[in-house]
Amino acid sequence: MISRSGPPVTRFLQGIGKHASIEPDAYTQGGFVLSIGGAEQSHVNLADPHEVFYEYLRRIANVVDLAAPPGQAVHALHLGAGALTLARYIQATRPGSRQYAVELERELLDFVLQQLPLPEGTELTAVIGDARDSLADLPAGLSFNVIILDIFSGPEAPAHIACSEFYEEAADRLAPGGVLIVNVGDEPGLSLVRSQVAAMRKVFHAVAATAEAGMFAGRYPGNIVLVGTQQAWQEEWTASLKSRGPHPANVLAGVELDALS
């Protein structure tokens, strides 16, 4: 495990030919930052897993909070593991949850679990492989209250996942009332966000988007979080996501989402 006062630790990821590093966050007691190829990827707070530092991850966590009554254990699937920030959050807020994490880079997952141990009691099954292939290979009958997809980044989004066929397969894995949460990192113009909204609307009864309010103008790069569910979207969810922030926050659902279609 990396020392709070020690230097960064690194590991070479053969699959992508880049170095991953974990170093202490100088501004957060108990905080650590995961970087890949010199670019920050994730932040975790081992002292307080309730804290979710990055803006888009905080918005995802806010949606997870709506997926079941407070404190109730859930079944969660993470497609794209990173530093397992959200898996730590779910364990902290919903003890006893059963979680699966799919990660393409075995070295990355091993590195994170070695240097940044999960909270005591976390029940997490790690799966190494492609997100879509791994989704199909999970045990028959296994369903989830929450599925989180966090592997999209602009033009690098894998075509076999950024499509309605994948969303159909993901929807089949959702328990009644479950939610699919998709983080989309996009460039100005939001072409990827628009394509994913269209693809999800073919599959889900309700689709919504939440982000920093200015992101919806499409003038600068950033992250928009999409939510798909087979139940009707509730106005209470919109009010909750707006009030929880990070601010300024906005939520588009129903006909308001037509602006992104």
Side-chain angles (χ1 to χ4, degrees), residues 2-94:
I2 184 173
S3 168
R4 171 67 195 164
S5 57
V9 294
T10 63
R11 178 173 294 186
F12 184 68
L13 306 179
Q14 297 186 31
I16 58 175
K18 295 180 180 180
H19 280 90
S21 68
I22 296 175
E23 60 184 323
D25 175 9
Y27 303 101
T28 305
Q29 183 65 34
F32 294 88
V33 177
L34 168 69
S35 298
I36 299 177
E40 289 189 10
Q41 297 291 325
S42 300
H43 179 283
V44 299
N45 187 337
L46 297 186
D48 183 9
H50 294 82
E51 181 193 43
V52 180
F53 186 79
Y54 285 178
E55 175 192 337
Y56 83 89
L57 289 176
R58 180 67 258 178
R59 297 189 196 282
I60 293 176
N62 291 342
V63 178
V64 172
D65 288 344
L66 301 177
Q72 178 176 305
V74 296
H75 285 187
L77 172 62
H78 306 265
L79 300 175
L84 296 168
T85 303
L86 293 169
R88 301 168 197 273
Y89 178 80
I90 289 175
Q91 173 61 20
T93 57
R94 300 177 178 279

Side-chain angles (χ1 to χ4, degrees), residues 8 10 40 42 46 48 55 60 64 73 91 110 120 139 141 144 146 187 192 203-204 207-208 219-220 230 252:
T10 63
E40 289 189 10
S42 300
L46 297 186
D48 183 9
E55 175 192 337
I60 293 176
V64 172
Q91 173 61 20
D110 289 345
E120 184 176 353
F144 300 92
V146 178
E187 300 177 340
L192 180 59
V203 176
F204 292 97
V207 177
R219 291 193 288 267
Y220 53 88
Q230 300 298 15
L252 302 182

Side-chain angles (χ1 to χ4, degrees), residues 108-119:
L108 176 60
L109 195 55
D110 289 345
F111 182 49
V112 167
L113 291 173
Q114 178 186 39
Q115 300 296 329
L116 303 173
L118 293 172

Side-chain angles (χ1 to χ4, degrees), residues 90-242:
I90 289 175
Q91 173 61 20
T93 57
R94 300 177 178 279
S97 293
R98 183 182 180 189
Q99 304 189 67
Y100 283 72
V102 176
E103 174 56 53
L104 188 61
E105 298 294 332
R106 178 182 297 276
E107 294 94 342
L108 176 60
L109 195 55
D110 289 345
F111 182 49
V112 167
L113 291 173
Q114 178 186 39
Q115 300 296 329
L116 303 173
L118 293 172
E120 184 176 353
T122 302
E123 183 181 349
L124 183 136
T125 300
V127 179
I128 305 301
D130 172 82
R132 187 169 180 179
D133 292 343
S134 298
L135 182 68
D137 291 340
L138 290 172
L142 181 61
S143 62
F144 300 92
N145 308 103
V146 178
I147 299 178
I148 300 169
L149 177 65
D150 187 12
I151 58 177
F152 286 166
S153 181
E156 299 178 1
H160 71 296
I161 295 176
C163 60
S164 58
E165 291 79 9
F166 167 77
Y167 291 125
E168 288 174 357
E169 294 170 14
D172 286 342
R173 287 288 184 170
L174 286 175
V179 294
L180 172 69
I181 309 170
V182 183
N183 173 54
V184 184
D186 208 355
E187 300 177 340
L190 304 179
S191 60
L192 180 59
V193 170
R194 296 177 192 279
S195 69
Q196 297 316 293
V197 168
M200 291 177 67
R201 277 182 150 182
K202 293 179 181 179
V203 176
F204 292 97
H205 177 74
V207 177
T210 180
E212 184 272 323
M215 270 300 301
F216 293 113
R219 291 193 288 267
Y220 53 88
N223 296 81
I224 291 180
V225 174
L226 305 180
V227 184
T229 180
Q230 300 298 15
Q231 60 182 315
W233 186 261
Q234 302 178 33
E235 287 301 320
E236 293 84 356
W237 294 350
T238 294
S240 177
L241 294 175
K242 285 184 177 180

